[in-house]
Amino acid sequence: DIGFRLGPCINASGRLDTAMRSLSLLQCEDEEEAAKLANDLKALNDSRKALTEQGTEAAYKLIEGSNLKNDRVMVVFLPDCHESLAGIIAGRIREKYNKPCFVLTKTATEVKGSGRSIEEYDMYKELSRIKELFTKFGGHKLAAGLSLPLENVDILREKLNQLTTLTDDDLCSKVWIDMQLPIPYITKEFVNELEKLKPFGKGNEKPCFAEKNLKVKNLKILGKEGNVIKLSLRDENNYEIPGIIFSRTSEFMEFVTNKFGNEEVKKALRGMDNNITIMAVFYPNINEYNGNTQLQLVINRFS
């Protein structure tokens, strides 16, 4: 809740307006005033999410409608995008195409940007090789920020792709799983045992499981922005479990439509018998809603 609900709302004020709005809430001692400030931050974060989705879709459209998708290092110029959202959008593009990506935006005086990388590409090291293009830059292996004159945008893209040594193997998406996990093994006791391994992060990565031949009994698109997919999954022995996918709706729908066809997707959306079967990479959790608890798979990769 802190990481995915409260944190983004507090963070949104600094991204889109001023961090003083969040500070005012944290210092507020009047309950009614605090509620008003909190609702304002919630609205601001909703705006931030909508702008992020718009920027991401604009980036995908630009990439697919040009030869950018053939570049090994992507430089996407979105002049009208809010500069504070560039890093989030770059991360989305990196996930979709498995390539290092810079998203650039235009300010009143220059161009600013943020980059997100893959393990095989040291972003800061590569920027350091062409530092004469920037008014300033900084970062580390997997992320960077930069500022540069408008006339250097095309040169940046050209130079990064000329100098890169990335191979086809480097750009192949890799997922390291801890084990193949049959879904009947997933119980509330098992999930509670996994919880004891927290906190997850660098040096203590969250366990990653996978299972294949999972039949999609039905699927639903949920959320105000249509950015959540709820699945009912069944294994080869007819054992069922719910699955959920966050923020990858268009990618999943494109995948199942291309692989199984429109008619099969329509059947799944109606809860009818269909031929859609997937391999899922997931982490199991316990979903709590209206006092009820239910096991589910939080799916982050599929094929």
Side-chain angles (χ1 to χ4, degrees), residues 203-260:
N204 185 37
E205 300 294 336
K206 179 183 285 188
C208 188
F209 304 103
E211 181 59 310
K212 57 186 179 180
N213 300 324
L214 294 175
K215 182 173 177 56
V216 177
K217 189 177 176 185
N218 62 61
L219 70 89
K220 297 177 182 177
I221 299 174
L222 307 174
K224 191 182 295 183
E225 307 295 330
N227 59 350
V228 177
I229 290 182
K230 187 83 172 179
L231 304 165
S232 179
L233 300 168
R234 188 168 59 199
D235 71 4
E236 294 170 319
N237 296 313
N238 291 323
Y239 187 93
E240 291 188 19
I241 194 167
I244 194 162
I245 302 172
F246 295 105
S247 302
R248 304 184 73 177
T249 305
S250 57
E251 186 179 345
F252 181 81
M253 296 305 291
E254 181 181 341
F255 159 69
V256 291
T257 301
N258 290 340
K259 187 169 183 179
F260 301 99

Side-chain angles (χ1 to χ4, degrees), residues 119-182:
E119 284 289 342
E120 294 78 6
Y121 187 81
D122 190 326
M123 190 161 269
Y124 180 76
K125 181 180 177 181
E126 294 301 315
L127 291 181
S128 298
R129 299 173 70 183
I130 51 173
K131 58 185 178 183
E132 68 278 0
L133 295 180
F134 311 117
T135 53
K136 58 183 177 180
F137 75 100
H140 51 84
K141 180 179 178 180
L142 294 177
L146 53 89
S147 300
L148 73 166
L150 178 61
E151 59 267 23
N152 286 353
V153 170
D154 289 336
I155 301 172
L156 172 64
R157 178 190 171 198
E158 182 182 335
K159 287 283 189 182
L160 288 173
N161 281 283
Q162 280 179 351
L163 295 171
T164 188
T165 57
L166 287 169
T167 65
D168 289 343
D169 283 345
D170 292 333
L171 299 178
C172 179
S173 181
K174 304 173 186 68
V175 179
W176 302 100
I177 66 168
D178 291 284
M179 66 176 291
Q180 181 178 351
L181 182 64

Side-chain angles (χ1 to χ4, degrees), residues 4-267:
F4 291 96
R5 294 173 186 261
L6 300 181
C9 289
I10 292 172
N11 195 31
S13 72
R15 284 188 179 275
L16 297 183
D17 188 11
T18 168
M20 291 301 296
R21 292 177 63 170
S22 292
L23 181 61
S24 296
L25 171 60
L26 295 173
Q27 292 180 325
C28 185
E29 296 182 7
D30 180 87
E31 190 171 339
E32 286 189 15
E33 178 65 15
K36 180 181 180 300
L37 293 171
N39 282 325
D40 288 346
L41 288 182
K42 169 68 166 55
L44 194 64
N45 189 51
D46 288 342
S47 175
R48 188 271 309 168
K49 289 193 286 187
L51 288 171
T52 300
E53 292 300 325
Q54 291 170 18
T56 302
E57 289 304 315
Y60 290 163
K61 188 174 180 180
L62 179 63
I63 291 167
E64 294 298 327
S66 67
N67 58 1
L68 280 174
K69 62 183 176 183
N70 298 321
D71 289 352
R72 294 187 181 276
V73 182
M74 289 185 163
V75 178
V76 181
F77 187 28
L78 300 175
D80 298 324
C81 176
H82 195 287
E83 65 182 82
S84 68
L85 304 179
I88 300 173
I89 297 170
R92 296 268 188 94
I93 297 170
R94 186 268 318 273
E95 286 181 10
K96 181 176 174 67
Y97 296 96
N98 199 57
K99 294 179 178 182
C101 175
F102 294 90
V103 170
L104 308 180
T105 67
K106 194 173 186 302
T107 69
T109 57
E110 58 184 350
V111 171
K112 289 187 176 182
S114 291
R116 297 294 182 269
S117 196
I118 58 177
E119 284 289 342
E120 294 78 6
Y121 187 81
D122 190 326
M123 190 161 269
Y124 180 76
K125 181 180 177 181
E126 294 301 315
L127 291 181
S128 298
R129 299 173 70 183
I130 51 173
K131 58 185 178 183
E132 68 278 0
L133 295 180
F134 311 117
T135 53
K136 58 183 177 180
F137 75 100
H140 51 84
K141 180 179 178 180
L142 294 177
L146 53 89
S147 300
L148 73 166
L150 178 61
E151 59 267 23
N152 286 353
V153 170
D154 289 336
I155 301 172
L156 172 64
R157 178 190 171 198
E158 182 182 335
K159 287 283 189 182
L160 288 173
N161 281 283
Q162 280 179 351
L163 295 171
T164 188
T165 57
L166 287 169
T167 65
D168 289 343
D169 283 345
D170 292 333
L171 299 178
C172 179
S173 181
K174 304 173 186 68
V175 179
W176 302 100
I177 66 168
D178 291 284
M179 66 176 291
Q180 181 178 351
L181 182 64
I183 57 176
Y185 283 67
I186 300 169
T187 63
K188 290 181 180 179
E189 291 74 21
F190 175 70
V191 173
N192 288 330
E193 287 294 310
L194 290 177
E195 292 294 294
K196 295 177 182 178
L197 301 176
K198 287 184 173 181
F200 299 127
K202 195 72 174 176
N204 185 37
E205 300 294 336
K206 179 183 285 188
C208 188
F209 304 103
E211 181 59 310
K212 57 186 179 180
N213 300 324
L214 294 175
K215 182 173 177 56
V216 177
K217 189 177 176 185
N218 62 61
L219 70 89
K220 297 177 182 177
I221 299 174
L222 307 174
K224 191 182 295 183
E225 307 295 330
N227 59 350
V228 177
I229 290 182
K230 187 83 172 179
L231 304 165
S232 179
L233 300 168
R234 188 168 59 199
D235 71 4
E236 294 170 319
N237 296 313
N238 291 323
Y239 187 93
E240 291 188 19
I241 194 167
I244 194 162
I245 302 172
F246 295 105
S247 302
R248 304 184 73 177
T249 305
S250 57
E251 186 179 345
F252 181 81
M253 296 305 291
E254 181 181 341
F255 159 69
V256 291
T257 301
N258 290 340
K259 187 169 183 179
F260 301 99
N262 270 318
E263 287 306 311
E264 296 302 315
V265 172
K266 288 178 182 177
K267 289 178 186 177

